[in-house]
Amino acid sequence: MTEPLTILYRDEQLVAVHKPAGLLVHRSKLAGGVSEFLLQRLRNQLGQRVYPVHRLDRPTSGVMIFALDPASAARLGETFTQRRVTKRYLAVVRGTGPEHEWLDYALREEDGSRPKAEMPPLEALTEIRRLDGVELPVQVDRYPASRYSLMDVRPLTGRRHQIRRHLSRRGYPIIGDAKHGKGNHNRFFAERLGCPRLLLAAVGLSFDHPVGEHGLALSCALDATMTALFQHFGWAGHLPVDSACRLDIAPSTTT
């Protein structure tokens, strides 16, 4: 039997849930033979229709919000479109990442509608900070030891696969990223550290509430796989917790 989704927050206009890694949000051309989707599971769990207003990649876990009526969906969709949202992610990357840096690399769309080279480059901006690191006495690549970093990531634009592509281009691919990462490090984490997934999680989301002059700040705990890894690496102090907080002043305009 499928476990119920973790509800982080719910009121009359919206619901926030923890999306498990590996679960598609809704049906798409990427679905293939997949028969289970987050939208469907949440609808069945709540016993009512829900409306997606933003997206998370299939392998990414973390906080997602759904509207509970069409009017709220329209207002929340506009909030995301206008970038009146603050997003926070945690990522485990190869190497010793920068202490603080802005990644400003334009990205072409990867939606498959046209060859990528024919798509126009679009502005993409991501803020990254290194929170912690670890050095393992294991040769995974050409060096006798292997270093990994925990990165706080805040995208200010919402391009497809933006975080994964930006970190990879900067030289710090996310562990578990089959498309933009490094296979030998991915295999090491899967086989030796029990982490066969993309180590990227959406842990924070702040936005204007669709009704009233206030905002919401949501925090989402990591799943069991990432939590165990953080504890193993001595990063337990960086573990987020599930929480929801009303903001009397709406969030500033960022994404």
Side-chain angles (χ1 to χ4, degrees):
M1 181 176 179
T2 303
E3 290 188 9
L5 296 164
T6 298
I7 305 295
L8 303 170
Y9 175 85
R10 182 181 179 184
D11 60 24
E12 293 183 357
Q13 289 77 38
L14 64 92
V15 61
V17 302
H18 181 164
K19 184 189 91 65
L23 187 63
L24 282 168
V25 175
H26 49 69
R27 293 185 185 278
S28 74
K29 59 187 176 183
L30 302 176
V34 177
S35 60
E36 186 178 58
F37 305 89
L38 179 63
L39 185 70
Q40 171 198 50
R41 282 182 57 180
L42 182 59
R43 179 195 66 200
N44 294 343
Q45 183 171 328
L46 299 183
Q48 68 179 100
R49 189 170 181 181
V50 297
Y51 304 80
V53 296
H54 66 120
R55 68 173 183 244
L56 277 182
D57 294 343
R58 180 178 182 175
T60 305
S61 65
V63 58
M64 279 202 73
I65 60 172
F66 291 82
L68 296 178
D69 62 82
S72 295
R75 286 191 287 269
L76 285 166
E78 184 178 359
T79 295
F80 276 84
T81 300
Q82 296 180 355
R83 303 180 187 173
R84 298 198 311 272
V85 181
T86 299
K87 302 173 185 176
R88 177 176 181 249
Y89 292 75
L90 291 177
V92 181
V93 305
R94 184 200 67 180
T96 302
E99 288 189 12
H100 178 241
E101 197 167 306
W102 291 90
L103 306 183
D104 186 3
Y105 307 132
L107 298 173
R108 299 179 190 273
E109 187 57 271
E110 292 184 325
D111 63 1
S113 61
R114 284 190 290 166
K116 184 176 169 182
E118 295 181 6
M119 304 295 280
L122 301 173
E123 175 195 21
L125 187 62
T126 307
E127 183 181 17
I128 61 173
R129 295 179 188 273
R130 187 178 76 245
L131 300 179
D132 219 324
V134 67
E135 181 174 315
L136 305 180
V138 179
Q139 183 169 356
V140 177
D141 219 323
R142 61 183 181 274
Y143 303 107
S146 302
R147 295 177 179 176
Y148 303 97
S149 298
L150 173 61
M151 305 300 295
D152 179 296
V153 184
R154 304 185 187 228
L156 273 76
T157 50
R159 309 304 176 200
R160 188 181 297 271
H161 300 163
Q162 175 175 317
I163 295 173
R164 296 157 65 180
R165 294 165 71 186
H166 267 183
L167 283 168
S168 179
R169 180 165 175 178
R170 182 61 179 82
Y172 302 99
I174 300 175
I175 300 301
D177 189 342
K179 184 172 182 180
H180 305 285
K182 298 285 286 185
N184 51 353
H185 292 275
N186 295 348
R187 286 189 296 273
F188 171 69
F189 271 72
E191 297 169 3
R192 302 281 296 277
L193 297 173
C195 293
R197 55 154 293 191
L198 177 73
L199 296 183
L200 175 66
V203 298
L205 194 61
S206 301
F207 55 95
D208 302 334
H209 193 278
V211 176
E213 298 297 323
H214 69 278
L216 279 176
L218 304 174
S219 175
C220 183
L222 300 179
D223 63 15
T225 297
M226 289 189 71
T227 296
L229 181 75
F230 276 41
Q231 292 169 341
H232 179 67
F233 281 174
W235 296 349
H238 300 291
L239 285 169
V241 297
D242 290 341
S243 69
C245 178
R246 175 181 170 131
L247 303 173
D248 291 330
I249 301 176
S252 59
T253 304
T254 57
T255 289

